Amino acid sequence: MKYYIIAGEASGDLHGSNLMKALQQKDPQAEFRFWGGDLMKAQGGTLVKHYRDLAFMGFLEVVMNLRTILNNIKFCKEDIQKNRPDVLILVDYPGFNLRIARFAKELGIKVVYYISPQLWAWKEGRVEIIKKYVDEMMVILPFEEDFYRKHGVHSHFVGHPLLDAISDLQEISVENFKSEHGLNEKEIIALLPGSREQEVEKMLEIMLSVRPQFQNYQFVIAGAPSLPKEFYQKYVDDNVHFVSNKTYDLLRCSKAALVTSGTATLETALLNIPEVVCYRGSKISYAIAKRLVKNINYISLVNLIMDREVVKELIQNDLNTKNLVEELNKILSGEKREQVLNDYNLLREKLGGKGASEHAADVILKV
């Protein structure tokens, strides 16, 4: 079969690549054409556009790049019409993907959504678009099935694909990792500042402000594949290091982590590393988001899934040096650290076992 997949972010690239691997095992004649990244490209097929050309952060940035976004939508529609896939697979990225869903459905192409947009947080009205133009919805968070059921939409809970990615990891030696990347003998505090240039600059400034209070640790920045190594050099010195495309290995060798809100918060938890979740947007973007987002009390996936505070979230004005130092100290040792690690075990139980990519592939092949 001919599969057309659209993933517009780094996390979508990861989940899309694992889905492609599962589809190839079940359909040896699989042909892929996709929007994604390097991980999907490694699975074979044709990369139409890289996600680094698609990701715009915040309301203001979207408005400023509206012409580019509209041109990308137009190009995508033309490419789908020209190549006529058997099935269109959409991976999150709703602002773009829901427009494409309608177009593909009207062409008579089967439409599958893998990894639901977070409609339970905002833009709940988009459920009506999914009702009309999506043939199968697959969700990866346990509470999303209830959300869709409430709106009269059948969905499949396939499990969380991060469990697949993490369960496949090989054992790692902390000593070898440090030696390979020129790190010293101190314990590591990992910094995950995001994947977009604007976001990374903003987050690293505040994350690195805690250094004077943690001189017995070394800080290691997880480099995003979408940004060049040169971008990070201005932050590097004797006690601040940089590792590219090795985020999982870095986390597994770390004592704790400071993590920008997003999929990385859940990855860090599933790798069993205590974390502080960080978020700071522009004042205008944050004010707009606060008015639009409803019915949720947390921003991190860890807390959303558990429906209580497991990891500390420092948002906007609360994200400052004083609070970061206080919260980081709590998770480096003592009672709070033990509580977080115990809660991580419960989190994994809630997400079920591995096999999300295989379950998703089965649903797609039935369609």
Side-chain angles (χ1 to χ4, degrees):
M1 286 207 304
K2 292 167 65 177
Y3 303 88
Y4 199 106
I5 308 174
I6 305 175
E9 298 170 310
S11 59
D13 181 38
L14 170 65
H15 302 324
S17 68
N18 286 327
L19 178 61
M20 289 167 70
K21 193 185 305 180
L23 284 168
Q24 285 172 322
Q25 291 170 352
K26 296 173 183 292
D27 178 11
Q29 305 303 314
E31 295 178 25
F32 297 109
R33 191 171 181 86
F34 55 90
W35 297 45
D38 298 336
L39 296 175
M40 293 173 73
K41 187 177 180 181
Q43 294 301 319
T46 302
L47 174 62
V48 180
K49 271 191 183 288
H50 200 287
Y51 68 78
R52 73 168 71 95
D53 301 322
L54 307 173
F56 300 103
M57 176 192 173
F59 296 98
L60 289 180
E61 193 180 2
V62 168
V63 171
M64 290 169 61
N65 291 279
L66 193 55
R67 183 185 294 273
T68 300
I69 294 168
L70 293 175
N71 284 338
N72 282 336
I73 290 171
K74 180 183 177 185
F75 174 76
C76 183
K77 289 178 178 179
E78 291 171 352
D79 196 55
I80 289 173
Q81 190 160 22
K82 179 181 176 182
N83 290 280
R84 286 282 176 164
D86 295 303
V87 61
L88 171 68
I89 303 169
L90 307 172
V91 185
D92 199 359
Y93 199 48
F96 189 96
N97 275 341
L98 288 174
R99 291 171 180 245
I100 303 303
R102 176 174 182 167
F103 175 79
K105 185 68 174 174
E106 289 173 350
L107 286 180
I109 296 168
K110 291 290 185 182
V111 179
V112 174
Y113 221 120
Y114 178 48
I115 304 180
S116 167
Q118 296 178 349
L119 305 185
W120 35 267
W122 71 313
K123 295 197 174 180
E124 193 169 329
R126 283 176 165 175
V127 171
E128 295 305 314
I129 301 174
I130 287 169
K131 267 186 184 179
K132 286 183 182 178
Y133 305 117
V134 173
D135 293 292
E136 293 289 346
M137 169 59 72
M138 292 177 284
V139 300
I140 62 173
L141 300 174
F143 60 80
E144 289 178 322
E145 258 191 326
D146 291 335
F147 170 81
Y148 278 109
R149 188 180 299 114
K150 182 181 76 175
H151 288 281
V153 177
H154 176 69
S155 64
H156 303 264
F157 173 58
V158 295
H160 205 291
L162 281 180
L163 291 169
D164 295 351
I166 287 168
S167 68
D168 290 339
L169 295 174
Q170 303 296 315
E171 288 291 324
I172 188 170
S173 160
V174 176
E175 291 73 20
N176 289 348
F177 180 83
K178 288 181 176 179
S179 174
E180 180 185 347
H181 295 285
L183 307 181
N184 58 48
E185 73 285 351
K186 295 178 181 177
E187 289 189 299
I188 296 169
I189 294 174
L191 306 180
L192 278 65
S195 60
R196 304 178 181 101
E197 184 173 333
Q198 169 194 2
E199 176 183 46
V200 171
E201 287 183 333
K202 185 180 297 183
M203 299 311 298
L204 275 180
E205 181 181 355
I206 183 64
M207 287 176 173
L208 288 171
S209 72
V210 306
R211 289 171 57 202
Q213 282 74 35
F214 297 95
Q215 297 192 19
N216 292 329
Y217 294 87
Q218 60 185 318
F219 292 81
V220 184
I221 301 166
S226 55
L227 295 174
K229 293 181 182 179
E230 295 75 25
F231 169 80
Y232 295 94
Q233 290 310 309
K234 59 189 172 187
Y235 301 103
V236 173
D237 60 27
D238 290 343
N239 209 38
V240 178
H241 307 273
F242 160 76
V243 172
S244 182
N245 294 326
K246 294 284 184 180
T247 301
Y248 283 4
D249 288 351
L250 168 61
L251 283 169
R252 290 190 292 161
C253 294
S254 299
K255 182 77 170 180
L258 304 181
V259 186
T260 297
S261 178
T263 304
T265 63
L266 183 57
E267 292 172 306
T268 303
L270 293 178
L271 289 168
N272 225 34
I273 306 303
E275 63 185 304
V276 180
V277 176
C278 308
Y279 176 81
R280 182 185 287 172
S282 73
K283 288 183 179 178
I284 295 174
S285 291
Y286 182 70
I288 294 171
K290 203 169 181 183
R291 290 176 66 90
L292 293 176
V293 174
K294 57 182 181 178
N295 301 326
I296 63 169
N297 299 315
Y298 307 104
I299 62 168
S300 71
L301 284 170
V302 178
N303 292 344
L304 282 167
I305 293 165
M306 295 295 287
D307 197 25
R308 59 184 173 87
E309 185 182 274
V310 171
V311 295
K312 185 65 178 180
E313 300 177 353
L314 296 178
I315 305 170
Q316 287 302 97
N317 294 335
D318 288 337
L319 179 60
N320 56 53
T321 305
K322 177 179 176 293
N323 288 341
L324 265 181
V325 169
E326 182 180 338
E327 296 303 329
L328 186 52
N329 269 317
K330 288 179 183 177
I331 60 171
L332 285 170
S333 62
E335 185 180 339
K336 173 65 174 178
R337 179 181 176 85
E338 293 306 313
Q339 182 60 56
V340 169
L341 293 174
N342 287 336
D343 284 338
Y344 282 172
N345 291 329
L346 299 175
L347 173 70
R348 281 188 286 272
E349 288 178 18
K350 267 202 164 189
L351 289 175
K354 64 177 187 174
S357 304
E358 284 192 20
H359 294 157
D362 286 336
V363 172
I364 291 165
L365 288 168
K366 284 178 183 176
V367 169

